[in-house]
Amino acid sequence: MAIELGLNQPFPPGCDERESLNRTRTWLICFCVDGSYATQFGKMAMIPLNDHLARNSRHWYQSSALTSPFDIHLCAIVDIHLVFADFRKAVSQCNQRKNVDEVGYIVTHYVRSLLTSCCRASTSYPLLFSTTRSCPNV
């Protein structure tokens, strides 16, 4: 339904700032829900992995004075879902090639990517982290 409403498309003419923020927020939530269901049920997500809005949303919470304080959480969750989406794609391609030896490498690579994403989140989203910890050497 979000695609039918065009939430993944550029904003329509005459769209004010609050409406554009709400459209973006709604689309990012749809991206996260889709990714969560895909991960939970072992399926590929319905929203394309190369979704422009999701892939470029890391600093969206800073785009306006009208964003909600909770938008920082949404951006962090989208970032984590992107790592999971890339992981699912890599595992799917590995399964198609039937190369079992490659699975260990893929898991190691994406565990590192997830740790890197969490470390990046601690610097990109400092308000989410109450303590200062150094990131592990990944």
Side-chain angles (χ1 to χ4, degrees), residues 19-40:
E19 182 182 352
S20 68
L21 290 171
N22 286 336
R23 290 174 65 88
T24 301
R25 185 178 296 113
T26 303
W27 179 252
L28 292 177
I29 290 169
C30 289
F31 180 83
C32 290
V33 169
D34 182 47
S36 293
Y37 282 126
T39 300
Q40 186 175 13

Side-chain angles (χ1 to χ4, degrees), residues 103-120:
V103 173
Y105 169 77
I106 290 172
V107 170
T108 302
H109 172 76
Y110 282 100
V111 165
R112 286 183 179 153
S113 292
L114 192 55
L115 286 172
T116 302
S117 179
C118 290
C119 288
R120 186 174 54 238

Side-chain angles (χ1 to χ4, degrees), residues 120-133:
R120 186 174 54 238
S122 68
T123 56
S124 295
Y125 316 116
L127 300 175
L128 292 179
F129 297 87
S130 58
T131 59
T132 325
R133 295 183 197 166

Side-chain angles (χ1 to χ4, degrees), residues 62-136:
Q62 297 172 327
S63 66
S64 169
L66 298 176
T67 55
S68 164
F70 298 106
D71 287 336
I72 191 171
H73 300 276
L74 180 58
C75 292
I77 291 168
V78 168
D79 198 33
I80 290 170
H81 275 289
L82 289 170
V83 172
F84 280 123
D86 291 340
F87 173 75
R88 286 192 311 268
K89 182 178 178 184
V91 168
S92 174
Q93 290 171 345
C94 178
N95 285 341
Q96 289 172 357
R97 289 191 301 272
K98 302 194 183 323
N99 189 346
V100 177
D101 297 332
E102 201 175 348
V103 173
Y105 169 77
I106 290 172
V107 170
T108 302
H109 172 76
Y110 282 100
V111 165
R112 286 183 179 153
S113 292
L114 192 55
L115 286 172
T116 302
S117 179
C118 290
C119 288
R120 186 174 54 238
S122 68
T123 56
S124 295
Y125 316 116
L127 300 175
L128 292 179
F129 297 87
S130 58
T131 59
T132 325
R133 295 183 197 166
S134 63
C135 291

Side-chain angles (χ1 to χ4, degrees), residues 49-70:
L49 300 178
N50 63 349
D51 181 70
H52 177 76
L53 195 55
R55 293 258 174 214
N56 295 294
S57 66
R58 183 171 295 142
H59 300 288
W60 172 77
Y61 72 95
Q62 297 172 327
S63 66
S64 169
L66 298 176
T67 55
S68 164
F70 298 106

